[in-house]
Amino acid sequence: MERVSSWMLVVMVMVMAVRAERNINRSGGVYWSTVEEEALAQTQTKARDDDTAVADLEADGGFSSLEGMLQWAVGHSDPVQLKETAQDVDKLSPTDLSNRQVEIKQLMDELKTPSDAQLMQVAINDLSNSSLSLEDRHRALEELLILVEPIDNANDLNKLGGLVVVIRELDHSDADTRKMAAWVLGKASQNNPIVQKQVLELGALSKLMKMVKSDFAEEATKALYAVSALIRNNVAGQELFYEEAGHLLLQNIMSESSIDIRLRRKAVFLLGDLAECQLENREKDELPFFSSRIFLKSVVDLTSSADLDLQEKALVALKNLLQLKTTEALIFKDFCGLDGALERLRQRLQDLMVEEEHRDYVMDVERLRSEVQQIFDRKLEKVTR
């Protein structure tokens, strides 16, 4: 009987906590606070008396776990009352004990945390509410951004009606809402052929490509992130991208030095990825824009940027472009000035190596530059000997 009493005592303490929480949250039912919220409440509670601690619980709105709830209940219980409760449990008849267990089970069922799918559905329903405030709309998108990261959750997004809802947000009048919606689509599509196909079929690519031209840098950057995630390793997506003149979009971004540096990095990174995909599918005809002189020069010119990350991404793109059959070594040399650009970059990297803080990274970029130089020299040798 002692084991039953001990177990029931613990459960009774938890029941006290549940009832306390119910009283606090009469309007909204049982509520699970975040870990951060509870940590803040516990920090504040240490410096206050018990009455103020109860106020902290009210401000917090709930418990983040059963353990937290149990700790709170024990800390705010009268030891004498707990002892009397244990004695009362010992006196319960089998029928009363069974009834009490049923009550405990019902309370515990109420405390079960919702599944990711349920949380996603709540966010989707919120977004479907046209009267939802802008703040709550942003919060719903932020929740989806976290929830769709696991691939299984991302695959559930369309089943729950979420893709249609999120894509609709791309047309919202608020730029931050459009930005968040693009971010969610990019996150869900990343390395996920199933979601890529679904999003493409729903016609989101053209909307995202228009958003890339936005004057709002955050919106443009997240839109290009989503475009890249949609068409990465996806031939059908890449064909749609080219049909929408995606190569000109990239060329314009790379050529314009006044454009946000983050957008230019993403543009040349996407180009490098597209060129690599072309290399991996050599049986397919190479697209004409890959050998365009203006296009290639816009990439070479990036090696003169003051941004080392942008230079590195430009080198990766050049490494892939140089290996394509239709790109001409003499165009790289005479029109683009690649040999001079690589030499200037070598000198700059050599100067940067004296800075110990970035030395390892600079050495990696120099190795990449050297590799590009060798590929270029071999390609040039074939047409000059």
Side-chain angles (χ1 to χ4, degrees), residues 209 238 241-254 271 274 287-290 292 295 298:
M209 290 178 66
Q238 290 171 18
F241 178 73
Y242 298 138
E243 287 175 12
E244 296 279 347
H247 61 289
L248 293 178
L249 178 67
L250 297 181
Q251 180 179 304
N252 291 337
I253 294 172
M254 292 186 297
L271 169 61
L274 294 172
L287 294 167
F289 79 87
F290 280 127
S292 163
F295 188 87
S298 69

Side-chain angles (χ1 to χ4, degrees), residues 144-188:
L144 282 179
L145 182 64
I146 297 170
L147 288 166
V148 301
E149 190 158 359
I151 192 167
D152 290 338
N153 288 358
N155 291 339
D156 286 340
L157 188 59
N158 194 47
K159 299 174 187 175
L160 298 171
L163 282 182
V164 172
V165 171
V166 174
I167 290 173
R168 188 170 62 224
E169 297 299 300
L170 297 177
D171 296 319
H172 200 280
S173 59
D174 175 62
D176 281 320
T177 299
R178 297 194 301 269
K179 175 198 75 175
M180 289 299 301
W183 200 355
V184 171
L185 292 174
K187 184 74 73 174

Side-chain angles (χ1 to χ4, degrees), residues 273-309:
D273 192 63
L274 294 172
E276 183 178 10
C277 187
Q278 181 75 75
L279 284 171
E280 292 171 352
N281 294 275
R282 291 185 179 274
E283 71 283 357
K284 295 189 64 175
D285 292 338
E286 293 180 3
L287 294 167
F289 79 87
F290 280 127
S291 55
S292 163
R293 297 190 302 171
I294 305 249
F295 188 87
L296 293 175
K297 191 173 189 308
S298 69
V299 184
V300 172
D301 288 347
L302 293 179
T303 61
S304 300
S305 168
D307 184 82
L308 194 57
D309 187 20

